[in-house]
Amino acid sequence: FTQLALGIPRGHGKTTLIKLYILFCILFTKKQFILIISSTASLAENIIADVADMLNEPNIKKVFGDWKVGLEKDTQEQKKFVFRGRSVILAGLGAGGSLRGLNLKNARPDVMIFEDVQTAECAESKVQSDSLERWMVGTAMKAKSPHGCMYVFVGNMYPTPYSILRKLKTNPKWVK
């Protein structure tokens, strides 16, 4: 599958699960460009910071090596480094942010994670929800790598008719 939608209640470890998934992608796959999209840029940046902290753990460094040896760019919103024989880009932005022409080191995202991209307020508003969904499908998902992309949508299970997770649940293209 290339499109996975997960609904997990508040306080049940959604963000922790995503951080572990990103770490898994860096350590055990050939994925090169992981883009995290949250409701705000600062939430995405917090995930990037925590993944960097995980990569700095002594056990990770002993087994896999020091990721900072190949570090090319180290900002809050972006980490670019060479690790385990491949270039890795870890980037984050807020929902509705500018993705047009996103192409770093001649690469486009091959993993796109929508982590808590929809707020409770947005899920209660048809206008906001439709706008976010249009941006997600019409802008973000089109910025993918030409070699394919894994999309992961992780969100709260809002009991509202405008919840994007609810819409994805009925979409046959998404694995739930």
Side-chain angles (χ1 to χ4, degrees):
F1 55 85
T2 59
Q3 295 174 306
L4 175 66
L6 297 171
I8 302 173
R10 185 171 301 284
H12 281 75
K14 286 185 300 297
T15 305
T16 301
L17 176 69
I18 288 304
K19 291 172 191 174
L20 291 171
Y21 176 69
I22 293 167
L23 186 65
F24 172 83
C25 287
I26 293 169
L27 297 177
F28 298 107
T29 74
K30 296 192 183 297
K31 299 296 186 184
Q32 293 186 299
F33 192 154
I34 303 163
L35 177 64
I36 301 109
I37 302 168
S38 293
S39 58
T40 66
S42 63
L43 291 174
E45 291 164 6
N46 290 342
I47 291 171
I48 292 170
D50 286 349
V51 170
D53 288 344
M54 291 173 165
L55 287 167
N56 282 325
E57 286 292 323
N59 287 341
I60 297 288
K61 286 173 136 179
K62 283 180 186 172
V63 174
F64 298 99
D66 188 351
W67 71 284
K68 284 193 170 182
V69 170
L71 189 61
E72 296 173 11
K73 184 171 186 176
D74 187 9
T75 64
Q76 286 183 315
E77 66 275 350
Q78 194 179 110
K79 310 279 186 218
K80 282 200 258 181
F81 53 100
V82 176
F83 188 62
R84 301 186 49 123
R86 73 183 197 288
S87 292
V88 176
I89 300 166
L90 187 56
L93 77 134
S98 177
L99 277 168
R100 295 244 180 241
L102 183 64
N103 187 342
L104 303 170
K105 293 189 73 73
N106 296 313
R108 291 187 182 268
D110 53 3
V111 176
M112 223 178 272
I113 300 169
F114 298 92
E115 197 277 335
D116 263 348
V117 73
Q118 187 176 41
T119 63
E121 295 77 22
C122 176
E124 292 173 0
S125 165
K126 178 172 177 33
V127 173
Q128 288 181 32
S129 180
D130 288 349
S131 175
L132 178 60
E133 186 178 19
R134 265 192 312 278
W135 177 85
M136 185 178 108
V137 174
T139 302
M141 291 176 71
K142 291 195 180 194
K144 68 180 171 88
S145 166
H147 306 292
C149 187
M150 171 67 185
Y151 301 103
V152 180
F153 184 98
V154 181
N156 286 311
M157 298 184 300
Y158 295 121
T160 65
Y162 310 119
S163 165
I164 292 176
L165 183 63
R166 182 181 291 241
K167 293 175 186 178
L168 296 179
K169 183 179 174 185
T170 60
N171 187 328
K173 293 181 181 179
W174 287 80
V175 173
K176 289 63 88 187

